[in-house]
């Protein structure tokens, strides 16, 4: 299956690299040439000169872009060059409505669309351990599994187009709560004068253990916030969740509080740091520097 990756950021570069090593990647392309060249140099794959050259002969195009407008723009160009029966699988986090609009646009040209947001962060993309939440035609998804198994440890079909994005919204709300709890608890522990490496190790092994404290706890308490998953991107995802909730007349305190905190971090110039930078907001609660 001739596979192309469009979008070579933190997630797309790792996805493309693993597809290349597994023998699936035919082409890759990114709007920013500098980022594309860095990804190609790191992973060894070749770059196409344009999106159209990358996607024109592809059986499968995997997209990894930052926002709804990006996906709409890319899908318009894909609709003009991809052949009927080919597939676009989008790993971005966008609104359900955008996923459905893109599916309708592509399907008018006989092109299948699956919304397949992923969880696992940059590490998951690089180590081929992503978890993929998929909406769309189950039969089409089954055809793609030999390719997707080279980038994911778990692929779950959730239902019609949009179901993947709805599930990702659940994931992102949960991530906000975990980030709030872990950053507050570790700031409290540091204020107590504890050996935080030992604290992180022991709580990671007990009932409070989770991926976030295990993978971010040590760096967080040292003031290191390398992405990871950027504050600005999680903020964007939570704004999508907020809009979905507003449609039902609901506000979730965890979503609202995290948005306020992220906006503070972004205003202070920390939007490109990992979401564990929330620790910067928690340390001052104890009268200490962030």
């Amino acid at each position: 299956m001739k596979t192309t990756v469009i979008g070579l950021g933190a997630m797309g570069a790792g996805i493309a690299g693993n597809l290349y090593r597994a023998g699936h990647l035919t082409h890759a392309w990114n709007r920013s040439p500098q980022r594309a060249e860095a990804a190609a140099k790191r992973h060894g794959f070749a770059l196409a000169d344009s999106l159209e050259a990358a996607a024109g002969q592809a059986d499968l195009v995997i997209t990894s872009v930052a926002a709804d407008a990006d996906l709409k723009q890319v899908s318009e160009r894909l609709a003009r060059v991809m052949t009927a029966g080919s597939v676009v699988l989008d790993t971005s986090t966008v609104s359900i409505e955008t996923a459905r609009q893109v599916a309708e646009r592509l399907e008018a040209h006989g092109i299948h669309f699956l919304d397949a947001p992923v969880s696992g962060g940059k590490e998951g993309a690089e180590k081929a351990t992503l978890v993929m939440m998929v909406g769309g035609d189950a039969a089409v998804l089954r055809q793609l599994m030999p390719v997707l198994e080279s980038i994911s440890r778990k692929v779950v079909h959730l239902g019609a187009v949009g179901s993947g994005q709805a599930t990702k919204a659940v994931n992102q709300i949960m991530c906000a709560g975990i980030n709030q709890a872990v950053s507050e608890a570790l700031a409290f522990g540091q204020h107590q004068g504890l050996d935080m490496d030992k604290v992180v190790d022991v709580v990671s092994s007990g009932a409070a253990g989770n991926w976030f404290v295990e993978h971010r706890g040590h760096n967080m308490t040292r003031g290191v916030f390398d992405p990871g998953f950027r504050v600005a991107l999680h903020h964007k995802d939570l704004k999508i969740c907020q809009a979905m909730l507003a449609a039902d007349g609901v506000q979730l305190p965890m979503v609202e509080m995290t948005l306020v905190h992220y906006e503070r971090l972004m205003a202070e110039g920390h939007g490109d740091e990992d979401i564990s930078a929330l620790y910067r907001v928690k340390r001052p609660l104890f009268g200490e520097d962030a």
Side-chain angles (χ1 to χ4, degrees), residues 143-161:
Q143 294 172 5
L144 307 184
M145 287 306 297
V147 175
L148 301 184
E149 285 169 354
S150 68
I151 61 175
S152 306
R153 67 177 176 85
K154 193 177 188 70
V155 178
V156 179
H157 182 252
L158 278 307
V161 168

Side-chain angles (χ1 to χ4, degrees), residues 15 52 98 113-114 139 152 165 196 208 216 245:
I15 288 170
E52 288 73 15
T98 290
F113 177 78
L114 301 175
S152 306
Q165 295 299 341
M196 293 310 294
R216 296 289 183 265
L245 290 160

Side-chain angles (χ1 to χ4, degrees), residues 243-263:
M244 293 170 66
L245 290 160
D248 291 323
V250 175
Q251 283 189 320
L252 292 183
M254 192 65 67
V255 171
E256 300 300 320
M257 178 171 65
T258 306
L259 283 170
V260 169
H261 289 163
Y262 283 173
E263 284 157 15

Side-chain angles (χ1 to χ4, degrees), residues 62-235:
I62 296 176
T63 52
S64 178
V65 297
D68 291 51
D70 300 324
L71 179 61
K72 289 178 181 179
Q73 183 183 61
V74 164
S75 66
E76 283 296 322
R77 295 173 68 178
L78 293 175
R80 293 194 289 267
V81 298
M82 293 180 70
T83 58
S86 57
V87 184
V88 174
L89 180 140
D90 179 50
T91 63
S92 318
T93 300
V94 297
S95 70
I96 294 171
E97 186 58 30
T98 290
R100 290 172 177 163
Q101 289 173 2
V102 169
E104 185 176 354
R105 177 77 174 96
L106 292 172
E107 286 165 7
H109 293 263
I111 303 165
H112 303 292
F113 177 78
L114 301 175
D115 67 304
V118 294
S119 182
K122 181 180 178 181
E123 295 97 327
E126 292 179 349
K127 296 177 182 177
T129 57
L130 292 170
V131 174
M132 189 171 287
M133 314 160 200
V134 187
D137 190 319
V140 172
L141 176 60
R142 283 194 292 272
Q143 294 172 5
L144 307 184
M145 287 306 297
V147 175
L148 301 184
E149 285 169 354
S150 68
I151 61 175
S152 306
R153 67 177 176 85
K154 193 177 188 70
V155 178
V156 179
H157 182 252
L158 278 307
V161 168
S163 301
Q165 295 299 341
T167 305
K168 184 61 182 290
V170 173
N171 186 85
Q172 299 307 73
I173 293 170
M174 202 171 291
C175 284
I178 292 167
N179 191 5
Q180 290 283 356
V182 170
S183 58
E184 280 189 7
L186 294 185
F188 168 76
Q190 198 154 30
H191 179 66
Q192 299 303 310
L194 297 169
D195 181 326
M196 293 310 294
D197 281 341
K198 289 182 178 179
V199 170
V200 170
D201 287 340
V202 72
V203 300
S204 297
S205 303
N210 59 76
W211 186 97
F212 192 70
V213 70
E214 184 178 349
H215 289 83
R216 296 289 183 265
H218 291 291
N219 277 353
M220 191 187 303
T221 58
R222 294 171 184 145
V224 177
F225 308 110
D226 298 331
F229 182 34
R230 293 189 290 121
V231 167
L233 282 180
H234 197 198
H235 177 269

